[in-house]
Amino acid sequence: MAPPIGISQRVPMATRHLRLGQSLVEAGRLKERHLRAALDEQQGSGRRLGDILVRRGYIDDTAVARALAAQLRLPFTEGPLIPEAEALGFVDAALARSRGILPLSATDRILRLAVSDPLDQNTLEELRFNSGRRVEAVVAAPSAIAEGIRTAYGGELAELVKDLPVCDADSEDDRTLRAAAAAAPVVRLVDHILQHGAAMGASDIHLEPFAGRVLIRYRIDGVLRRSLTLPTSALASITSRIKVISGMDISVKRRPQDGGLTIEHAAGTLRIRVSTLPVAGGEKIVLRLLDPLKVPRNLDALGLSQRDASLVRRLGQAGQGVILAAGPTGSGKSSSLFAALAELNQEGLNVVTLEDPMEYRIPGINQVQVSPLAGLTFPVALRAILRQDPDVVMVGEIRDRETAEIAMGAAVTGHLVLSTIHATDAPGAITRLLHMGVPPHLVAGGLSGVVAQRLVRTFCRFCRGRNPEDCTRCEDGYSGRTGVFQVLAMNNAIRDEIMCGASASELGRLATESGMASLTEDVSRKVAEGVTSPHEAARVIRSDVGSVAPCPECDGEVPWDALGCPHCGRVVRRVCTCGAVVRSRWRFCASCLRPVAA
């Protein structure tokens, strides 16, 4: 007979985690290095080891649940979970969803219950008291329980939408809006939207009013996906609820507002940044989900090649100079800076960040929030930071000439400065600084290197992109993203070119001769390694339209100065022995008048 669940609670937490992890390793379901990484994260976050292993993609939740059941000597059941009708009356839908439980069967004495967390004694005791029956816990995977709840209780969403209060979208009456925001269906619907986004791993949630409906979309792995469609009558109450919990003025609808909130979800605490914008049909709301667990802990977690990671580390270990992360919005620049800071964050260094907005809190680092309304702009704050004896300074973004000049000047005087800049590639970041008006001698003397990057989706580790329609872990064969990089390290030749007026093409040529690879080469490496697909690579890495032309044979991209197609070998340009380009149908070279060979 299995012992009561309470017996296992007397086992120390660290010991229990170690036993669970070791049992998975011994069963061949988990690698030792993955266990060590998860235990390190668990020690710092206090979260359950199983949740960390599943979130990191090291193992699926079914294997964790099976191992937990064996460890606690409890029965385990696989999905699909089909409860008896009589049992559903003992647990209402809201409790089942919030606690992750599903009643399976009931007799006069026993209530059999599928649980994802058998150590949740409060829930088990509550059900024992309410039902008047002894509760027998059966361990099941969280995904199987969630699917069983949807099947048994039906969709909660339809009930919530049906009960939403009717509220005039143009109303500015504070009392009416607050009453609508506090209505129970509205509270539960907004909570559902936020929790679903967190569970899906969304980086942003978009609530958009269109003709006759409200569209809710989640940005997952960089791609917006439609999730819900609600009636227009729901817009005012949902908007009011989000404004209330994020600290905004609910009566203001004709100007943009910013706010924020914090929620608890299965994996821990999640900070959300909220932005509203008046649009045709009402207000659009975008919520940015900031999960501290997604911040890379080191450069190795970014996807850099071994050579590029070593080069970036050497740039940081030099202790001075400006290192820039370049790329468009949403390319992972800030994540790269935090990964570098994590490696530089040592007790003997004074590390200060200057951010707008401040997204993540990092222990051991002094973080400054820019506040233009209070007069604390980037240049003002950066000058003040440099009087605080810093070793490493991180500036969220170089946006103007003044900030760039101060950063470069700080680098010249012996500080290490990390920042981001909007540029298409690494050489382009240098020309952007010059176009801002930064003196060439400051750029040449202060800049140490540039890391240009993009993010590409990676194959789902369960289906590998082969049969996504049959995979329960992904929608289209992809899950998660990794970086694609181009690392430019400054040298004397590049500095001399900057002092002479630096053209982007010449900087690119010099950097290539020094060993810099292109973004296309790095993404091709990831395709060859089976990390992502050629289609995804082509979606993210687009060549500059003016720098390539389509090959007439294979339609591949041919650089403008190439003699032939690098994909199929077709000759697209003829060159005379004197080096001049010869156009088609020419019988003689226009430069040296030599006859042109057929």
Side-chain angles (χ1 to χ4, degrees), residues 17-80:
H17 285 156
L18 187 60
R19 288 179 180 174
L20 175 64
Q22 286 298 336
S23 66
L24 290 169
V25 171
E26 291 169 2
R29 303 303 302 270
L30 182 68
K31 296 181 179 179
E32 184 73 39
R33 58 186 176 88
H34 290 164
L35 172 60
R36 288 197 300 269
L39 285 172
D40 289 342
E41 180 177 329
Q42 191 278 330
Q43 187 175 12
S45 65
R47 294 178 176 86
R48 294 187 300 181
L49 179 65
D51 292 339
I52 296 173
L53 292 171
V54 174
R55 181 183 55 79
R56 284 177 167 240
Y58 295 155
I59 198 170
D60 60 73
D61 60 353
T62 301
V64 172
R66 191 186 296 275
L68 183 61
Q71 180 186 349
L72 299 177
R73 290 183 289 172
L74 290 172
F76 170 81
T77 183
E78 290 190 358

Side-chain angles (χ1 to χ4, degrees), residues 385-414:
I385 288 172
L386 294 176
R387 293 192 291 270
Q388 292 278 312
D389 185 33
D391 296 294
V392 181
V393 179
M394 192 272 271
V395 182
E397 182 182 348
I398 290 183
R399 302 176 179 176
D400 52 58
R401 171 182 175 177
E402 190 175 6
T403 304
E405 287 186 352
I406 298 171
M408 294 296 165
V412 171
T413 57

Side-chain angles (χ1 to χ4, degrees), residues 84 86-88 90 104-112 133:
E84 296 177 0
E86 302 79 26
L88 294 177
F90 292 99
L104 298 178
S105 62
T107 66
D108 293 339
R109 295 183 179 183
I110 298 173
L111 174 63
R112 190 163 173 266
R133 289 163 171 76

Side-chain angles (χ1 to χ4, degrees), residues 132-453:
R133 289 163 171 76
R134 183 164 61 90
V135 175
E136 286 189 354
V138 178
V139 182
S143 58
I145 293 177
E147 182 61 32
I149 290 173
R150 281 193 293 269
T151 302
Y153 292 100
E156 181 188 24
L157 218 51
E159 301 173 12
L160 295 178
V161 173
K162 181 182 65 176
D163 296 334
L164 286 176
V166 178
C167 184
D168 184 4
D170 297 324
S171 173
E172 295 185 6
D173 181 65
D174 189 271
R175 188 179 304 173
T176 302
L177 293 173
R178 287 190 180 277
V186 178
V187 173
R188 290 166 60 194
L189 178 58
V190 171
D191 183 63
H192 171 87
I193 292 170
L194 298 180
Q195 293 291 343
H196 184 62
M200 295 290 289
S203 61
D204 301 87
I205 303 175
H206 292 239
L207 286 82
E208 304 164 307
F210 291 104
R213 68 190 194 280
V214 178
L215 186 63
I216 298 177
R217 297 193 291 172
Y218 296 100
R219 187 177 294 279
I220 301 172
D221 294 337
V223 178
L224 274 174
R225 299 175 182 173
R226 180 184 298 190
S227 177
L228 303 173
T229 301
L230 303 175
T232 305
S233 58
L235 178 62
S237 55
I238 293 175
T239 301
S240 298
R241 174 63 185 171
I242 293 175
K243 286 182 177 180
V244 166
I245 61 178
S246 57
M248 299 184 194
D249 189 338
I250 61 175
S251 63
V252 174
K253 299 185 176 184
R254 293 178 174 84
R255 72 167 188 264
Q257 294 190 73
D258 294 305
L261 64 140
T262 302
I263 66 170
E264 297 292 332
H265 70 114
T269 303
L270 199 67
R271 290 184 59 243
I272 300 178
R273 197 171 72 231
V274 186
S275 171
T276 69
L277 179 69
V279 297
E283 287 181 284
K284 173 175 177 174
I285 297 182
V286 176
L287 303 99
R288 168 63 59 89
L289 281 62
L290 305 170
D291 188 351
L293 295 178
K294 292 184 178 180
V295 179
R297 294 175 173 268
N298 51 52
L299 293 174
D300 295 327
L302 297 176
L304 286 157
S305 67
Q306 186 175 356
R307 174 191 175 278
D308 285 346
S310 176
L311 183 55
V312 174
R313 283 194 175 93
R314 290 206 305 272
L315 292 174
Q317 290 165 0
Q320 66 179 46
V322 174
I323 303 175
L324 295 177
T329 300
S331 59
K333 302 186 296 297
S334 296
S335 295
S336 295
L337 292 190
F338 283 115
L341 283 178
E343 295 197 0
L344 294 168
N345 187 16
Q346 303 171 12
E347 188 174 346
L349 295 178
N350 177 20
V351 182
V352 186
T353 71
L354 180 58
E355 305 170 63
D356 182 27
M358 188 187 303
E359 297 188 344
Y360 303 105
R361 303 293 175 86
I362 308 175
I365 291 180
N366 302 288
Q367 297 176 263
V368 179
Q369 169 70 58
V370 171
S371 179
L373 293 178
L376 192 64
T377 61
F378 268 105
V380 171
L382 186 51
R383 287 192 182 96
I385 288 172
L386 294 176
R387 293 192 291 270
Q388 292 278 312
D389 185 33
D391 296 294
V392 181
V393 179
M394 192 272 271
V395 182
E397 182 182 348
I398 290 183
R399 302 176 179 176
D400 52 58
R401 171 182 175 177
E402 190 175 6
T403 304
E405 287 186 352
I406 298 171
M408 294 296 165
V412 171
T413 57
H415 298 88
L416 178 61
V417 181
L418 309 178
S419 189
T420 69
I421 192 169
H422 288 285
T424 56
D425 58 11
I430 299 176
T431 56
R432 164 123 188 170
L433 290 171
L434 296 173
H435 291 160
M436 283 183 183
V438 183
H441 72 274
L442 272 182
V443 177
L447 189 63
S448 292
V450 182
V451 181
Q453 63 184 86

